[in-house]
mmCIF file of all heavy atoms in Angstrom:
data_model
loop_
_atom_site.group_PDB
_atom_site.id
_atom_site.type_symbol
_atom_site.label_atom_id
_atom_site.label_comp_id
_atom_site.label_asym_id
_atom_site.label_seq_id
_atom_site.Cartn_x
_atom_site.Cartn_y
_atom_site.Cartn_z
ATOM 1 N N ASN W 252 24.489 50.106 -10.618
ATOM 2 C CA ASN W 252 23.167 50.507 -11.147
ATOM 3 C C ASN W 252 22.997 50.584 -12.638
ATOM 4 O O ASN W 252 21.935 50.809 -13.133
ATOM 5 C CB ASN W 252 22.836 51.873 -10.617
ATOM 6 C CG ASN W 252 22.594 51.781 -9.067
ATOM 7 O OD1 ASN W 252 22.353 50.734 -8.576
ATOM 8 N ND2 ASN W 252 22.826 52.843 -8.400
ATOM 9 N N GLU W 253 23.936 50.200 -13.415
ATOM 10 C CA GLU W 253 23.767 50.074 -14.853
ATOM 11 C C GLU W 253 22.740 49.084 -15.212
ATOM 12 O O GLU W 253 22.714 48.032 -14.570
ATOM 13 C CB GLU W 253 25.131 49.537 -15.525
ATOM 14 C CG GLU W 253 26.109 50.646 -15.773
ATOM 15 C CD GLU W 253 27.329 50.025 -16.523
ATOM 16 O OE1 GLU W 253 27.411 48.814 -16.580
ATOM 17 O OE2 GLU W 253 28.142 50.810 -16.963
ATOM 18 N N ARG W 254 21.901 49.281 -16.176
ATOM 19 C CA ARG W 254 20.919 48.308 -16.615
ATOM 20 C C ARG W 254 20.923 48.172 -18.111
ATOM 21 O O ARG W 254 21.173 49.144 -18.865
ATOM 22 C CB ARG W 254 19.497 48.631 -16.149
ATOM 23 C CG ARG W 254 19.344 48.690 -14.687
ATOM 24 C CD ARG W 254 19.471 47.293 -13.980
ATOM 25 N NE ARG W 254 19.246 47.284 -12.568
ATOM 26 C CZ ARG W 254 20.208 47.504 -11.668
ATOM 27 N NH1 ARG W 254 21.435 47.720 -12.040
ATOM 28 N NH2 ARG W 254 19.912 47.514 -10.355
ATOM 29 N N THR W 255 20.613 46.951 -18.603
ATOM 30 C CA THR W 255 20.692 46.626 -19.993
ATOM 31 C C THR W 255 19.425 46.108 -20.460
ATOM 32 O O THR W 255 18.751 45.359 -19.655
ATOM 33 C CB THR W 255 21.826 45.625 -20.337
ATOM 34 O OG1 THR W 255 22.858 45.986 -19.377
ATOM 35 C CG2 THR W 255 22.309 45.769 -21.733
ATOM 36 N N ALA W 256 18.981 46.275 -21.699
ATOM 37 C CA ALA W 256 17.770 45.595 -22.189
ATOM 38 C C ALA W 256 18.156 44.333 -22.839
ATOM 39 O O ALA W 256 18.978 44.327 -23.791
ATOM 40 C CB ALA W 256 17.072 46.488 -23.211
ATOM 41 N N PHE W 257 17.596 43.198 -22.316
ATOM 42 C CA PHE W 257 17.982 41.868 -22.962
ATOM 43 C C PHE W 257 16.642 41.223 -23.493
ATOM 44 O O PHE W 257 15.573 41.480 -22.954
ATOM 45 C CB PHE W 257 18.605 40.971 -21.865
ATOM 46 C CG PHE W 257 20.000 41.357 -21.408
ATOM 47 C CD1 PHE W 257 20.101 41.851 -20.143
ATOM 48 C CD2 PHE W 257 20.980 41.306 -22.259
ATOM 49 C CE1 PHE W 257 21.359 42.275 -19.708
ATOM 50 C CE2 PHE W 257 22.262 41.710 -21.813
ATOM 51 C CZ PHE W 257 22.482 42.189 -20.555
ATOM 52 N N VAL W 258 16.966 40.267 -24.379
ATOM 53 C CA VAL W 258 15.786 39.559 -24.903
ATOM 54 C C VAL W 258 15.602 38.278 -24.018
ATOM 55 O O VAL W 258 16.533 37.525 -23.891
ATOM 56 C CB VAL W 258 16.002 39.048 -26.305
ATOM 57 C CG1 VAL W 258 14.781 38.286 -26.972
ATOM 58 C CG2 VAL W 258 16.338 40.247 -27.168
ATOM 59 N N PRO W 259 14.465 38.187 -23.406
ATOM 60 C CA PRO W 259 14.243 36.894 -22.528
ATOM 61 C C PRO W 259 14.243 35.585 -23.243
ATOM 62 O O PRO W 259 13.778 35.639 -24.422
ATOM 63 C CB PRO W 259 12.844 37.231 -21.897
ATOM 64 C CG PRO W 259 12.433 38.554 -22.251
ATOM 65 C CD PRO W 259 13.263 38.956 -23.438
ATOM 66 N N PRO W 260 14.627 34.590 -22.675
ATOM 67 C CA PRO W 260 14.715 33.275 -23.490
ATOM 68 C C PRO W 260 13.412 32.608 -23.528
ATOM 69 O O PRO W 260 12.549 32.964 -22.716
ATOM 70 C CB PRO W 260 15.636 32.462 -22.511
ATOM 71 C CG PRO W 260 15.516 33.031 -21.094
ATOM 72 C CD PRO W 260 15.216 34.411 -21.335
ATOM 73 N N HIS W 261 13.263 31.767 -24.495
ATOM 74 C CA HIS W 261 11.995 31.003 -24.629
ATOM 75 C C HIS W 261 11.855 29.869 -23.593
ATOM 76 O O HIS W 261 10.754 29.595 -23.177
ATOM 77 C CB HIS W 261 11.877 30.357 -26.017
ATOM 78 C CG HIS W 261 11.890 31.383 -27.186
ATOM 79 N ND1 HIS W 261 10.843 32.336 -27.263
ATOM 80 C CD2 HIS W 261 12.664 31.610 -28.070
ATOM 81 C CE1 HIS W 261 10.959 33.030 -28.277
ATOM 82 N NE2 HIS W 261 12.226 32.686 -28.838
ATOM 83 N N GLU W 262 12.964 29.423 -23.191
ATOM 84 C CA GLU W 262 12.985 28.272 -22.225
ATOM 85 C C GLU W 262 12.414 28.671 -20.895
ATOM 86 O O GLU W 262 12.736 29.736 -20.336
ATOM 87 C CB GLU W 262 14.454 27.716 -22.028
ATOM 88 C CG GLU W 262 14.500 26.380 -21.335
ATOM 89 C CD GLU W 262 15.876 25.859 -21.269
ATOM 90 O OE1 GLU W 262 16.730 26.388 -21.972
ATOM 91 O OE2 GLU W 262 16.127 24.961 -20.421
ATOM 92 N N ALA W 263 11.481 27.854 -20.321
ATOM 93 C CA ALA W 263 10.823 28.148 -19.038
ATOM 94 C C ALA W 263 11.808 27.688 -17.968
ATOM 95 O O ALA W 263 12.490 26.713 -18.061
ATOM 96 C CB ALA W 263 9.588 27.403 -18.973
ATOM 97 N N LEU W 264 11.900 28.425 -16.875
ATOM 98 C CA LEU W 264 12.634 28.045 -15.690
ATOM 99 C C LEU W 264 12.057 26.730 -15.071
ATOM 100 O O LEU W 264 12.684 26.015 -14.382
ATOM 101 C CB LEU W 264 12.765 29.155 -14.677
ATOM 102 C CG LEU W 264 13.636 30.249 -14.958
ATOM 103 C CD1 LEU W 264 13.513 31.400 -13.954
ATOM 104 C CD2 LEU W 264 15.154 29.788 -14.914
ATOM 105 N N ARG W 265 10.773 26.654 -15.237
ATOM 106 C CA ARG W 265 10.045 25.527 -14.583
ATOM 107 C C ARG W 265 9.624 24.584 -15.716
ATOM 108 O O ARG W 265 8.627 24.799 -16.449
ATOM 109 C CB ARG W 265 8.846 26.024 -13.923
ATOM 110 C CG ARG W 265 8.207 25.232 -12.867
ATOM 111 C CD ARG W 265 7.033 25.904 -12.210
ATOM 112 N NE ARG W 265 7.358 26.909 -11.333
ATOM 113 C CZ ARG W 265 6.519 28.068 -11.031
ATOM 114 N NH1 ARG W 265 5.345 28.154 -11.675
ATOM 115 N NH2 ARG W 265 6.895 28.906 -10.190
ATOM 116 N N PRO W 266 10.384 23.495 -16.040
ATOM 117 C CA PRO W 266 10.057 22.653 -17.162
ATOM 118 C C PRO W 266 8.716 21.931 -17.035
ATOM 119 O O PRO W 266 8.277 21.658 -15.906
ATOM 120 C CB PRO W 266 11.223 21.585 -17.173
ATOM 121 C CG PRO W 266 11.920 21.726 -15.869
ATOM 122 C CD PRO W 266 11.533 23.099 -15.265
ATOM 123 N N ALA W 267 8.021 21.668 -18.174
ATOM 124 C CA ALA W 267 6.732 21.107 -18.146
ATOM 125 C C ALA W 267 6.798 19.580 -17.870
ATOM 126 O O ALA W 267 7.930 19.060 -17.956
ATOM 127 C CB ALA W 267 6.118 21.271 -19.491
ATOM 128 N N LEU W 268 5.798 19.084 -17.343
ATOM 129 C CA LEU W 268 5.796 17.632 -16.964
ATOM 130 C C LEU W 268 5.951 16.766 -18.279
ATOM 131 O O LEU W 268 5.396 17.220 -19.340
ATOM 132 C CB LEU W 268 4.467 17.288 -16.324
ATOM 133 C CG LEU W 268 4.290 17.830 -14.937
ATOM 134 C CD1 LEU W 268 2.936 17.374 -14.354
ATOM 135 C CD2 LEU W 268 5.371 17.351 -13.963
ATOM 136 N N PRO W 269 6.619 15.698 -18.252
ATOM 137 C CA PRO W 269 6.815 14.904 -19.474
ATOM 138 C C PRO W 269 5.445 14.282 -19.974
ATOM 139 O O PRO W 269 4.675 13.882 -19.079
ATOM 140 C CB PRO W 269 7.837 13.793 -19.068
ATOM 141 C CG PRO W 269 7.751 13.811 -17.642
ATOM 142 C CD PRO W 269 7.284 15.096 -17.069
ATOM 143 N N VAL W 270 5.247 14.286 -21.193
ATOM 144 C CA VAL W 270 4.084 13.477 -21.705
ATOM 145 C C VAL W 270 4.551 12.552 -22.784
ATOM 146 O O VAL W 270 5.486 12.774 -23.538
ATOM 147 C CB VAL W 270 3.033 14.503 -22.373
ATOM 148 C CG1 VAL W 270 2.175 15.101 -21.333
ATOM 149 C CG2 VAL W 270 3.685 15.505 -23.236
ATOM 150 N N LEU W 271 3.820 11.454 -22.899
ATOM 151 C CA LEU W 271 4.239 10.366 -23.841
ATOM 152 C C LEU W 271 3.918 10.992 -25.293
ATOM 153 O O LEU W 271 2.972 11.649 -25.450
ATOM 154 C CB LEU W 271 3.279 9.162 -23.658
ATOM 155 C CG LEU W 271 3.656 8.216 -22.470
ATOM 156 C CD1 LEU W 271 2.544 7.144 -22.384
ATOM 157 C CD2 LEU W 271 5.053 7.665 -22.656
ATOM 158 N N TRP W 272 4.733 10.720 -26.261
ATOM 159 C CA TRP W 272 4.450 11.095 -27.591
ATOM 160 C C TRP W 272 4.294 9.789 -28.395
ATOM 161 O O TRP W 272 4.367 8.784 -27.854
ATOM 162 C CB TRP W 272 5.633 11.922 -28.125
ATOM 163 C CG TRP W 272 6.990 11.268 -28.143
ATOM 164 C CD1 TRP W 272 7.517 10.500 -29.122
ATOM 165 C CD2 TRP W 272 8.020 11.278 -27.097
ATOM 166 N NE1 TRP W 272 8.786 10.052 -28.765
ATOM 167 C CE2 TRP W 272 9.119 10.482 -27.489
ATOM 168 C CE3 TRP W 272 8.053 11.878 -25.891
ATOM 169 C CZ2 TRP W 272 10.227 10.266 -26.710
ATOM 170 C CZ3 TRP W 272 9.222 11.754 -25.085
ATOM 171 C CH2 TRP W 272 10.272 10.850 -25.527
#
Side-chain angles (χ1 to χ4, degrees):
N252 292 334
E253 278 185 349
R254 295 294 181 271
T255 324
F257 292 111
V258 181
H261 295 298
E262 191 176 346
L264 281 172
R265 203 180 281 153
L268 293 177
V270 277
L271 287 173
W272 59 88

